[in-house]
Amino acid sequence: MTRKIVALVTGDGSGPEMMAAACSVAVEAAKKDGLEIAFEETPMGWNAYGKYGDTLPQESFKRAVEIGTIFFGGVGDPKLDSTIGAEKPEMRPEARCLLALRKKMGLLLNFRPMIYYKELAHLSMVKPETIPDQGVQQVWIRFLLEDSYFGNEDLMAELQPGDCERIGVKLKKKVTGDEKLVTDMAYFRQSTIEKYIRAAFNYAKSVGLPLISIDKANVMARYDFWRRIVTRIGKTEFPDVHLTHQLVDSANALLFTPAKLHGVIACGNEHGDILSDGAAAALGSMGMMCSSAINPDTGQAMFESGAGTAPTLAGQDKANPIGRILTTAMMLRHLGANKGARAIEDAVRTALKDGHRTADLCDATYVGNILGTQEMGRLILSLL
Ligand code: IPM
Ligand code: MG
């Protein structure tokens, strides 16, 4: 048995419940490939604040980065954001933990696959007849750095003294609401787009899917730049991958007809954040979203929740663990445990096909048994 340590952030809200279910599935499935997964807790989020006085204890941050593979259950809680977070905005854990990890580890590629199976089309929010017999694959690969997310932090030091005040550039944690002007600097670096889009093209080529690049090139400079680079690299290096460009507003409309977005989908950080929630909801529920963030150079990776922490369901054993469980399949594949990864995906598909549901997957007409978080986890475990 090979042993692999994985840093574990169980997180806030319903995170710990969903992660407990997902960790058991991951440990069991990995055995199929002779892999022993040893989770090591590196607490972060509001739960960590309660114990250590910091949503990002430095010891946790250091250790998680050092381990280099993180299973991240999601951080944040609207209640604490508006109480402690109002007094200490720098403690809000989304930026303090998640964005800091992404940046520190250089996690450029954010995979968020949405797979529509014909036999599960009735679970989705789109008209089942819009799903072709062979299903639909939307492999979203969000560009996870730079853009509007990191612009101010990354570029502020380039400005002259006084410029920030004059043009309203400030960090989010310093915003008071009394400013005359506030500016987010959004940017893409040529070298980063090139690295990113080569990885996306290579992925599309390896799975035999077309590449759909999303932008707002009709209005914004950075997306015009993006489209020119994507077009050039497509033409010169990947003439065999079918490339189309889609404006972000029309891409958003196409979420209702998923087959029109069948392929590997490349998009900027902010667009990817917005569209991937919509895509997951169209697929059936935000609770089904799985997500991985990878540094293509070092292989460092964080397996994220992508879909928040379901704070209103916390402590009630109601949140859907499937997104977290499918995320462990991505983690296992990254660690070379392909049989285990496949077994997890098949088990989830079987559980759903057999009609097992968590509350978020049922509409008012549903009469069957509704499974709790742990029950769904145990069922998937038994199907491995
Ligand atoms: C996501 C989340 C994060 C993001 C938040 C929690 C910082 O919404 O992973 O999609 O905006 O990237
Ligand atoms: Mg998001």
Side-chain angles (χ1 to χ4, degrees), residues 281-348:
L283 179 62
S285 158
M286 295 255 300
M288 304 275 279
M289 194 204 289
C290 53
S291 179
S292 71
I294 315 269
N295 178 325
D297 297 325
T298 63
Q300 281 176 301
M302 176 154 65
F303 298 87
E304 304 188 355
S305 58
T309 56
T312 55
L313 304 179
Q316 300 165 50
D317 192 43
K318 278 190 186 156
N320 184 350
I322 291 179
R324 262 56 167 200
I325 290 174
L326 287 172
T327 299
T328 69
M330 301 176 92
M331 181 168 79
L332 261 54
R333 196 163 277 126
H334 180 76
L335 298 174
N338 293 321
K339 281 187 218 144
R342 200 47 208 269
I344 294 171
E345 287 158 356
D346 289 348
V348 167

Side-chain angles (χ1 to χ4, degrees), residues 233-252:
I233 297 215
K235 237 189 219 143
T236 55
E237 299 176 32
F238 300 92
D240 44 346
V241 177
H242 183 77
L243 168 67
T244 50
H245 301 279
Q246 193 73 53
L247 292 171
V248 64
D249 45 353
S250 59
N252 187 38

Side-chain angles (χ1 to χ4, degrees), residues 112 142 273 276-277 306:
R112 295 190 164 173
R142 168 183 173 198
D273 176 46
S276 62
D277 275 13

Side-chain angles (χ1 to χ4, degrees), residues 159-379:
L159 299 176
Q160 298 300 319
D163 282 351
C164 284
E165 293 71 20
R166 202 164 40 77
I167 62 174
V169 172
K170 51 162 52 181
L171 296 178
K172 179 184 139 34
K173 63 185 174 202
K174 300 265 172 71
V175 172
T176 62
D178 297 325
E179 298 85 353
K180 292 272 175 295
L181 165 74
V182 171
T183 302
D184 280 317
M185 297 193 285
Y187 79 105
F188 292 128
R189 231 178 258 289
Q190 183 188 45
S191 56
T192 325
I193 299 183
E194 286 178 351
K195 179 185 292 188
Y196 161 83
I197 206 67
R198 283 195 179 104
F201 270 118
N202 272 318
Y203 185 82
K205 194 170 165 177
S206 73
V207 293
L209 287 171
L211 188 87
I212 304 163
S213 170
I214 292 177
D215 61 42
K216 190 70 186 171
N218 54 345
V219 178
M220 276 167 239
R222 76 183 188 283
Y223 290 115
D224 190 325
F225 180 54
W226 168 286
R227 187 178 289 207
R228 286 169 195 271
I229 296 172
V230 172
T231 305
R232 166 170 55 80
I233 297 215
K235 237 189 219 143
T236 55
E237 299 176 32
F238 300 92
D240 44 346
V241 177
H242 183 77
L243 168 67
T244 50
H245 301 279
Q246 193 73 53
L247 292 171
V248 64
D249 45 353
S250 59
N252 187 38
L254 294 180
L255 295 178
F256 297 95
T257 47
K260 293 189 182 153
L261 286 175
H262 177 77
V264 171
I265 307 170
C267 54
N269 202 348
E270 187 170 327
H271 287 171
D273 176 46
I274 299 166
L275 291 169
S276 62
D277 275 13
L283 179 62
S285 158
M286 295 255 300
M288 304 275 279
M289 194 204 289
C290 53
S291 179
S292 71
I294 315 269
N295 178 325
D297 297 325
T298 63
Q300 281 176 301
M302 176 154 65
F303 298 87
E304 304 188 355
S305 58
T309 56
T312 55
L313 304 179
Q316 300 165 50
D317 192 43
K318 278 190 186 156
N320 184 350
I322 291 179
R324 262 56 167 200
I325 290 174
L326 287 172
T327 299
T328 69
M330 301 176 92
M331 181 168 79
L332 261 54
R333 196 163 277 126
H334 180 76
L335 298 174
N338 293 321
K339 281 187 218 144
R342 200 47 208 269
I344 294 171
E345 287 158 356
D346 289 348
V348 167
R349 189 172 174 178
T350 306
L352 293 172
K353 217 166 84 182
D354 290 351
H356 300 288
R357 302 280 179 265
T358 43
D360 56 319
L361 299 175
C362 307
D363 61 16
T365 63
Y366 183 74
V367 286
N369 186 18
I370 296 180
L371 301 189
T373 312
Q374 302 316 316
E375 270 175 312
M376 183 55 102
R378 280 194 296 271
L379 174 76

Side-chain angles (χ1 to χ4, degrees), residues 41-106:
E41 283 210 43
T42 49
M44 297 178 199
W46 283 122
N47 64 89
Y49 184 86
K51 265 195 215 146
Y52 307 97
D54 192 338
T55 50
L56 184 64
Q58 280 314 296
E59 198 43 47
S60 289
F61 187 62
K62 207 174 126 237
R63 182 66 186 138
V65 171
E66 185 177 79
I67 293 172
T69 309
I70 307 174
F71 187 26
F72 191 91
V75 291
D77 183 330
K79 232 191 253 153
L80 291 167
D81 284 347
S82 64
T83 51
I84 311 170
E87 273 163 47
K88 298 183 175 176
E90 73 282 3
M91 282 295 157
R92 294 198 184 175
E94 288 89 344
R96 191 169 179 83
C97 310
L98 189 56
L99 299 186
L101 284 167
R102 287 177 184 170
K103 185 165 169 188
K104 175 81 182 171
M105 294 167 75

